[in-house]
Amino acid sequence: EKPIGHDLASARALNRLIGEILDESQTYRIDHYLGKETVQNILVFRFANGLFEPLWNNKYVDSVQMTVSEAIGIEGRGNYYDQSGTLRDMVQNHIFQFMSLMAMEPPGTFEASAVHDEKVKVLRALRELPLSEIDKWAVRGQYGPGFDQGKPVPGYLDEDGVQKNSRTETYVALKLFVDNFRWAGVPFYIRAGKRMAKRVSEIGITFKSVPHALFTDNLGQRLGREPNVLALRIQPDEGITLKFLSKVPGPTIEPRPVTMDFRYGTSFGTEPPEAYERLLLDCMLGDSTLFARGDEVMASWRYCDRILRGWAEQDARNRAPLPSYEPGAWGPEPAATLLARDGRVWRRP
């Protein structure tokens, strides 16, 4: 079960120790997010539908956003969390795993080794962030004191087990690029954190707008430039939503956004099994497709280690407090600036 190590060196040592006893084909590294139906459905949605796979590239996709937010705090786990932080706890494993599924090339066959081969290519193609400008690519923050459902809650630095001068992040936002033929130039924005507005995990794919707005209003202003968005909801209410423009009924041409919704519970009349149920069954069946292979873990740690090194160098130059955000917010102000520089804003899942 994750985390596999604390950094690249410890993960490498752990895998080396496991390798002395078990073959890679006998090793099942569980990441329970890979057992969630919508994460598994990414592969079916992409590779079984001729409508969407041709659009899954930099010719049609403007940007990708991934949000994994939790409404709760660290829930009494200060001793653990202050040694970990959100980058280690969420990004290195959960988020990088479903990002690699979202961005990978079609495997030759739907077999474990073929799927893992394509996933690790994505992680190895991630562009290295310049350490001297780490704050322009990787934002961190800590939740401050406030209220949760009308009840006062402490800030992170006031939680039991947390050092008063802690630099551990409870929020992280990243701007990434996958430098390959499919995704060159498409920014991937990632955010994860504690004590945020709601508990939700979602991938939002924003498509490029039409090249020319054909419709105008009475003042001659162009209409119909709002982009299409495909949202894959991982939790809760697992499903997929597609936003597109439609004409408002009436004598004039007025485009307005509407959505098509798919929900597992309503479409199939049953709740999906728990993630661990599926993963433990696959383990007993000897199917490692939905598990993390050793080289995937190493590739994700290699990337996260660089971010951690950049933050450490930044702290050596400046020990100012980390940006804070109120409980129930979507993160600190620098996270909004991260997208504002590109003329974009965070989605509200």
Side-chain angles (χ1 to χ4, degrees):
E1 173 67 285
K2 73 92 182 175
I4 307 297
H6 186 75
D7 53 18
L8 178 60
S10 60
R12 185 179 287 128
L14 179 57
N15 279 332
R16 187 182 303 116
L17 179 62
I18 294 171
E20 294 175 358
I21 306 166
L22 300 170
D23 184 73
E24 178 64 32
S25 65
Q26 299 172 301
T27 306
Y28 294 79
R29 301 170 186 84
I30 287 184
D31 185 326
H32 71 272
Y33 264 65
L34 292 179
K36 294 183 180 296
E37 286 292 340
T38 307
V39 175
Q40 299 173 49
N41 200 30
I42 292 173
L43 297 177
V44 175
F45 186 81
R46 287 188 59 190
F47 303 135
N49 292 293
L51 175 62
F52 294 105
E53 178 56 25
L55 309 180
W56 218 262
N57 55 61
N58 56 9
K59 184 176 180 180
Y60 299 102
V61 174
D62 171 79
S63 60
V64 179
Q65 291 188 21
M66 300 184 183
T67 296
V68 178
S69 65
E70 296 180 277
I72 61 174
I74 58 173
E75 301 299 290
R77 299 186 302 150
N79 290 324
Y80 158 73
Y81 205 87
D82 209 36
Q83 303 300 316
S84 174
T86 300
L87 186 73
R88 289 184 172 98
D89 190 52
M90 295 298 298
V91 177
Q92 183 273 330
N93 38 76
H94 300 325
I95 295 180
F96 274 9
Q97 280 294 319
F98 62 71
M99 182 189 74
S100 61
L101 289 171
M102 212 288 299
M104 63 185 267
E105 294 296 320
T109 59
F110 190 62
E111 296 177 351
S113 60
V115 172
H116 290 306
D117 288 345
E118 299 302 333
K119 287 171 61 184
V120 78
K121 288 177 185 177
V122 173
L123 297 171
R124 289 173 177 169
L126 289 173
R127 183 187 302 177
E128 287 192 351
L129 306 182
L131 297 183
S132 60
E133 299 180 327
I134 193 68
D135 56 331
K136 294 182 180 179
W137 302 83
V139 171
R140 52 183 167 156
Q142 295 173 337
Y143 62 80
F147 293 87
D148 180 14
Q149 298 180 352
K151 299 179 180 179
V153 291
Y156 178 70
L157 295 179
D158 297 321
E159 297 273 16
D160 292 338
V162 174
Q163 298 182 22
K164 299 306 178 184
N165 61 346
S166 174
R167 309 290 292 174
T168 300
E169 76 287 350
T170 64
Y171 175 95
V172 62
L174 305 176
K175 176 183 175 181
L176 310 177
F177 286 96
V178 179
D179 286 336
N180 59 21
F181 270 78
R182 181 182 289 266
W183 296 112
V186 176
F188 285 69
Y189 301 105
I190 290 173
R191 62 176 170 175
K194 299 282 191 182
R195 286 254 185 261
M196 293 178 65
K198 64 169 69 173
R199 173 180 174 265
V200 62
S201 298
E202 181 189 271
I203 303 173
I205 300 115
T206 300
F207 292 93
K208 293 181 179 179
S209 299
V210 294
H212 173 67
L214 186 62
F215 309 107
T216 59
D217 60 14
N218 294 331
L219 300 177
Q221 295 177 333
R222 297 286 177 180
L223 301 174
R225 292 298 297 270
E226 189 165 343
N228 305 123
V229 178
L230 180 68
L232 291 83
R233 176 69 66 88
I234 297 168
Q235 69 176 13
D237 303 324
E238 294 174 283
I240 300 172
T241 298
L242 176 64
K243 184 181 78 172
F244 59 96
L245 293 175
S246 180
K247 178 187 175 297
V248 175
T252 60
I253 300 293
E254 181 185 348
R256 184 176 297 178
V258 295
T259 59
M260 283 184 176
D261 290 320
F262 155 70
R263 293 288 181 269
Y264 270 94
T266 56
S267 295
F268 296 110
T270 181
E271 289 296 318
E274 287 294 323
Y276 283 109
E277 291 182 56
R278 171 63 191 273
L279 293 175
L280 292 174
L281 174 61
D282 282 359
C283 181
M284 288 185 272
L285 295 174
D287 184 353
S288 63
T289 305
L290 298 178
F291 293 80
R293 200 169 68 182
D295 51 355
E296 294 174 37
V297 176
M298 295 302 102
S300 60
W301 268 124
R302 191 172 293 111
Y303 196 84
C304 289
D305 264 16
R306 185 173 177 82
I307 297 173
L308 293 167
R309 188 163 66 250
W311 284 343
E313 293 180 6
Q314 188 181 60
D315 290 344
R317 298 189 301 267
N318 181 9
R319 295 289 294 183
L322 296 185
S324 66
Y325 58 97
E326 293 184 2
W330 282 105
E333 185 60 32
T337 305
L338 184 70
L339 271 68
R341 295 192 195 102
D342 300 335
R344 299 184 177 95
V345 295
W346 288 106
R347 280 176 41 78
R348 290 295 178 94

